[in-house]
Amino acid sequence: MRFNYSIVALFIALVSCGGDEKPEELLSEDKMVEILVDIHLAEGFVQSLSIPYDSSKVLYPVLEKQIFEKHGIADTVYINSLEHYLLDAAKMEYLYERTIDSLTLREKIVQ
């Protein structure tokens, strides 16, 4: 599985100007990793389909909404938590290491 580090770098650049306030509803590190795993699986699924780009732009938000419903959170809670964790590059790197480890383990189980 490939991961686009430029997306994370973009997020870091966008939120680095924000304050260091903790969001009212901050997802735990474990929950954040669970959601990141599901999001990357959904992205991989959409990319693997032989559908036009416009169609994938419609499908992905539907899958993303299902992920948030599965985890019982609002999209704003995820976004605010992501922005909070992105302010600490070391923490975000740790969360993505865990995410990649989880995805790698899933891949080994499937094989």
Side-chain angles (χ1 to χ4, degrees):
M1 258 182 229
R2 296 177 64 200
F3 175 72
N4 191 346
Y5 289 101
S6 61
I7 293 173
V8 173
L10 176 63
F11 275 125
I12 291 171
L14 290 174
V15 298
S16 64
C17 297
D20 198 17
E21 299 175 11
K22 213 176 206 184
E24 200 170 295
E25 294 182 71
L26 179 64
L27 296 173
S28 70
E29 292 178 14
D30 291 339
K31 182 58 101 173
M32 196 69 190
V33 169
E34 290 175 22
I35 295 169
L36 288 170
V37 165
D38 286 345
I39 285 175
H40 285 288
L41 289 172
E43 288 174 348
F45 172 72
V46 170
Q47 288 178 358
S48 72
L49 298 175
S50 298
I51 59 175
Y53 178 71
D54 290 350
S55 297
S56 67
K57 284 178 60 174
V58 172
L59 177 59
Y60 179 75
V62 172
L63 296 175
E64 190 178 52
K65 182 180 177 188
Q66 290 175 349
I67 291 168
F68 296 141
E69 288 173 356
K70 170 186 170 185
H71 291 280
I73 65 161
D75 60 345
T76 55
V77 172
Y78 168 75
I79 291 167
N80 291 337
S81 296
L82 181 62
E83 288 175 351
H84 173 76
Y85 286 123
L86 284 170
L87 291 173
D88 182 349
K91 176 72 72 180
M92 199 63 208
E93 181 178 352
Y94 171 71
L95 292 177
Y96 263 100
E97 285 173 2
R98 289 182 56 194
T99 301
I100 292 167
D101 288 347
S102 295
L103 289 167
T104 302
L105 180 62
R106 284 182 183 215
E107 185 176 43
K108 286 180 182 177
I109 291 171
V110 170
Q111 291 176 354

